[in-house]
Every structure is written in C-alpha cells, then in structure tokens.
Amino acid sequence: MHDAYKMFLGPVHPALEEPIFFDFKIVGEKVIATNLKPGNAHRGIEALGMKRNPIQVLYLSERICGICSVSHASTFSRAVEAAAGIEVPERADYIRTIFCELERLHSHILWAGLLAHEIGFHSVLHYGMKVREDVMDLLEYLSGNRVNYGVYVIGGVRRDIPKEKHEKIRQSIKYYNAAFEKFKDVFLNDKTIRMRTEGVGVLTKNDALKLCAVGPTARGSGLNKDTRQDWSYLAYGDIGVKAQLPSQVTGKINGDVLDRTIVRLLEIKQSAEIIERCIDQMPKGSLVSEPKAAVILSRLKNAEGEGIARTEAPRGELHHYVRLAKKEVVDTWKAKAPTYNNLMAVPVMMKDAQIADIPVIICSIDPCIACLDRVSIIEGNSGKSMNKYDLHELCLRKSEMFGKIERGHQ
Amino acid sequence: MSIIPTLLKQLVKKPFTNPFPKKHAPNKVSDVKKINDPIPVPDDFRGKIKYDRAKCIGCRMCVTVCPANAMEYLPKEKKIKHHVLRCIMCAECVDVCPVKALSSSKEFLLAETDKKSPNLIEK
Ligand code: SF4
Ligand code: SF4
C-alpha cells in the first residue's frame, strides 16, 4: 500500500477554463478524496444590482455568464415580473422560449466539443466549434449580437421574430438534426470515447438525489427532473417538454460520463424540436406589456413584494430571488446557479477515479464558475478568503468574547 | 466513422477565419496575402452609441436606465455626455430616448491608445 499524497489543481490551470481550486488525496494513481474551494471568480454583481433599478439590473444579470446569459436575463425578468405583478404577452413568451433553446443548443454543442477535447479528440472540438457557428450566426441574425443578446425587457421582449425570419430558423433546425446524428455516431460508436467515458465518474441515482444534482447531471443519473417539465413557464406548458434520460438510447442508466453525454446530445435534438414548434405555434400579439420604460419604472418603484423564478438553463435549474420594497432600486437580489448543486456531486464522482480522468469528470458536469461564485468572504485586508470552518471559528470567538465581557460586569 | 470524410474535406478547404479587418492591418502588407473585409454586422446590431446633441431635450431618461453609468448629465447645458469606455452597448438608452437623439451605430472596434480621445466621449 502506497502512502497517500496530495495533489492540487487550480485555481488557475490549463485543464480548467475558469478559476476553481481542487485538492485531491491520492494513493498511487487513484483519487481517494476530493475537496474543492470556489471563490476566485466572485465579482459582486448582486451588490451592484442592489444600487440600481430593475431595468438596469436586467443587463447586469445578463453579464453574470457569457454562455447562459439568456437564462439569467430570463430568470431575473420573470422574478421581477412576479414581484411587481406584470403580465407578459403570449407572443413574448414564445420569443423568450426560442432564445432560451437557441442558447441551450450552442451551450451543449460547445460542451460536446470540450469533452472531446479533454479526451484528446481535437478534431471533434473543431467540428463542434464549426457546428456551433451556425447557431451563433442565427442568434446574431435574430437579436443583432452574438453574445449578450439584450432581447429581454421587463414585461416582454425587444425584438420580434417575424415570418420572414422563420425560413432561416428552419434551415438551422435541419442543420442541427443532421449534426445531432453525427455527434451521436461519434460519441456512441467510437471505441476510445466509450472507453474514456463508460463507467467513469459514476453518480448513482441515490447520490444525485441526496446531493440535489440538477440538469443533465441529474438526468444522467436517472432522475426524471427538468424544470421545463416540472414547472411550466414561458411557452413550455403549451409545448410539453419531457425530461431526456439516457435509457432512451442505451436502455439502462449508469450515471457515468457517457450517460451525461447522451442526455446533452438528446437535448440538442429536443431543443431543435421545441424551436420548430414555437415558430409553428407562435401567437400574434404585442411584444411588451407596456412600451414606455418610464411607466414600467414608476410601476416598479411603487411595487412591493417578492418574486422567485426558475429556469432550466443549459446546466440545470437556475434560480433568482428578487424583492422590491417601494424603492427605486432592487431591495434584494439573489441568484443561485446550477453549478452550485452539481459541483457538490464532483467529490462523489471522483471516488476511485484515476488522475487522468479528473479533467473528464470535471468537464462532465459542465461547470460554470462565473455563475457559481456568488459570495466570497475575505478576512480584513489580508486577502485570505474564509471557508465555513473559519466562519464557525469566528462565531465561537465572538461568543467567547461576549462571555468574557459578561463575566467582567459581574 | 462519419467524422473522417468531414476531416478530409476540411483538409483541402481554405481557413474559415477572417484576418483582422483592413483598417487595423499593419502598414507592411507584403506577407499578408489577402485581406478580407470584415463580415458585415446585422441590421439590429448594437454598436457604439451615437449622440445627436441638437435633438436632445435633457430629459435624463437615458441616465436613469443606463446600467453602466455611462451617461453623464451636464446640468448647465441640460445635455448629456456619453462615456464610450464604460458603455456595455445594451442600447436601452436608444430605446428610451423620447426624441431619438441616441442611436446604435455599426462601429465596434473602439480600441484607442489615448483614453481621453474624442472617439471615446460623445457629447
Ligand atoms: S448602451 Fe447601455 S450602457 Fe451604453 S450608454 Fe446606453 S444604456 Fe448605457
Ligand atoms: S434620453 Fe434622449 S433626450 Fe433625454 S437626455 Fe438622453 S439623449 Fe437627451
């Protein structure tokens, strides 16, 4: 038996796209225990948000993440609308849905490329990048920009999708149905990819349930949950979405990296279907509940209440909480990103994995650290960030201090 | 594997990427074989904000909605000053301006060496 040794990964490391710190305990080649410490990408966006009115915060929320920016804007705007009791026209809901699904398309395709890249298939990475370009072009065509689409406003959307633009969307759908077949062939039939993903990073259904995994990570472990299915919002209620499970393809559920891959690939096809149904069924009507920003602003200023919204972002359930309290600014704003849940499952997946599997397993939950890092507690000017044990220690010290003062009084 | 024909086709194709736009190309272009024009931006593109001072009535709506505090109100003149470097190009100000004094242009290459350059402050 070898002695255990420690290996650190991050916070800045070429195998990680974003800063996060992992601390592995390893015997030989085997990972025995994993610890992780986020907190390096915290930017204090919520603090900025609580100094601004909801119209301003909407654009800030979009910039929490570059890949799932629509999800944040969608969730924040619905939370504000819930808090202020603003109704959204039906046509706007359909357009919002189309943007959410286009975002899922480009996010999942990018991810498929990245997974292949971690395994060593650079050609698939470049193929993924090429395929993704089509949806980026489509997003640019529909919204005007390639990243941060700025389509959402409080109470509706800014840009219409008129009939003339439907043709181009249909072409893209056809293109993605073909791309899906190709990806499916590569990921399911290639021996090397199978060997690197099958049985690697297993998360059992029970563990997924206990650790509150969300999104494709949960569905890969066989949990039948999808916010679009369980909590009808936007146009998903009309469309009828079913959670995609890996058993649809392989007939069984292992909860490994391969299963999570299958779920995401199936969702590429599903998103294309949802977009197609949205443009088929799109109702007529206005785009916004109130076209004048000044009227919306004064309504929000006089509103009082709390709003919660949930969205199935590409990585899982995204949650925003907003409280308005008859003030010009947002009183409280809290975002909780799906990576927060899914990262908790990583130490379980890492159990008994080999060192070479670490990047593949981390990649398999599609982590987004920019979304995840919502708080960072720094001690004084030292720059040292505090974890829960440090905070507990601090709490005990405070009680002790009060005890001393009390004894002094006696 | 069906990826192989795709790869072979890719081998003989020209690169997809476009060399950086003409305007910023180096002076000596002897080693650059061909410079492509940038791909045109779409009609709805949100680029650098242009300000029409004559039209502005000083209502301050753009200052109220700007998420990046890129609009500065000039109380004496009852006009505004737009700080391009702070702008995140959301174009909310374009939507709210009652007299259409603001508009999104197609310009997006805004790098400058002087941060006080008039290109970076619209007034
Ligand atoms: S585009 Fe957005 S960030 Fe820029 S000045 Fe207008 S409102 Fe402000
Ligand atoms: S919203 Fe238009 S009119 Fe009002 S201050 Fe801004 S630029 Fe001037």
Side-chain angles (χ1 to χ4, degrees), chain B residues 50-61:
Chain B
K50 289 273 179 262
Y51 174 51
D52 186 343
R53 197 179 172 89
K55 274 192 195 165
C56 177
I57 52 170
C59 71
R60 305 186 56 167
M61 263 319 278

Side-chain angles (χ1 to χ4, degrees), chain A residues 342-389:
Chain A
N342 289 338
L343 210 58
M344 300 305 140
V346 166
V348 178
M349 295 175 190
M350 286 290 178
K351 196 101 188 74
D352 293 342
Q354 285 193 331
I355 295 178
D357 289 331
I358 291 173
V360 177
I361 294 175
I362 295 176
C363 181
S364 79
I365 66 154
D366 199 2
C368 175
I369 312 301
C371 288
L372 158 82
D373 272 346
R374 301 266 56 93
V375 65
S376 181
I377 299 164
I378 307 285
E379 189 181 358
N381 290 329
S382 67
K384 179 182 171 264
S385 70
M386 302 177 85
N387 59 22
K388 81 174 180 206
Y389 304 107

Side-chain angles (χ1 to χ4, degrees), chain A residues 108 111-112 115 187 197 199-205 208 213-222 244-247 252-267 314 342 345-346 348-350 357 360-366:
Chain A
H108 280 1
W111 175 85
L115 181 76
F187 280 95
T197 55
V200 173
V202 176
L203 180 72
T204 60
K205 189 173 179 176
V214 289
T217 309
R219 292 193 278 283
S221 296
Q244 303 289 306
L245 297 176
S247 49
K252 56 184 193 293
I253 288 164
N254 301 324
D256 52 10
V257 176
L258 182 65
D259 279 0
R260 293 193 274 281
T261 312
I262 294 172
V263 170
R264 289 202 177 88
L265 294 182
L266 288 174
E267 284 180 9
N342 289 338
V346 166
V348 178
M349 295 175 190
M350 286 290 178
D357 289 331
V360 177
I361 294 175
I362 295 176
C363 181
S364 79
I365 66 154
D366 199 2

Side-chain angles (χ1 to χ4, degrees), chain B residues 4-46:
Chain B
I4 289 173
T6 315
L7 292 180
L8 290 177
K9 235 191 273 164
Q10 213 62 41
L11 260 184
V12 290
K13 264 194 183 164
K14 283 210 201 94
F16 250 59
T17 41
N18 219 2
F20 206 58
K22 231 177 222 167
K23 168 177 151 195
H24 291 261
N27 291 333
K28 204 168 146 250
V29 285
S30 52
D31 44 343
V32 184
K33 286 194 190 75
K34 182 178 175 285
I35 301 174
N36 299 331
D37 276 327
I39 292 170
V41 294
D43 295 337
D44 291 337
F45 184 70
R46 309 185 313 269

Side-chain angles (χ1 to χ4, degrees), chain B residues 49 66-68 70-71 82 87-93:
Chain B
I49 303 293
C66 178
M71 292 295 188
H82 171 52
C87 177
I88 57 176
M89 289 163 197
C90 64
E92 179 68 33
C93 53

Side-chain angles (χ1 to χ4, degrees), chain A residues 140 143 175 182 336 342 387:
Chain A
E140 189 182 20
S143 75
Y175 180 75
K182 208 163 220 168
K336 197 222 79 200
N342 289 338
N387 59 22

Side-chain angles (χ1 to χ4, degrees), chain B residues 55-98:
Chain B
K55 274 192 195 165
C56 177
I57 52 170
C59 71
R60 305 186 56 167
M61 263 319 278
C62 55
V63 183
T64 316
V65 298
C66 178
N69 294 339
M71 292 295 188
E72 185 187 339
Y73 185 62
L74 307 171
K76 257 196 223 130
E77 298 114 312
K78 292 209 169 54
K79 299 280 171 188
I80 55 137
K81 194 164 152 191
H82 171 52
H83 299 270
V84 178
L85 281 185
R86 282 196 204 163
C87 177
I88 57 176
M89 289 163 197
C90 64
E92 179 68 33
C93 53
V94 178
D95 286 8
V96 299
C97 179

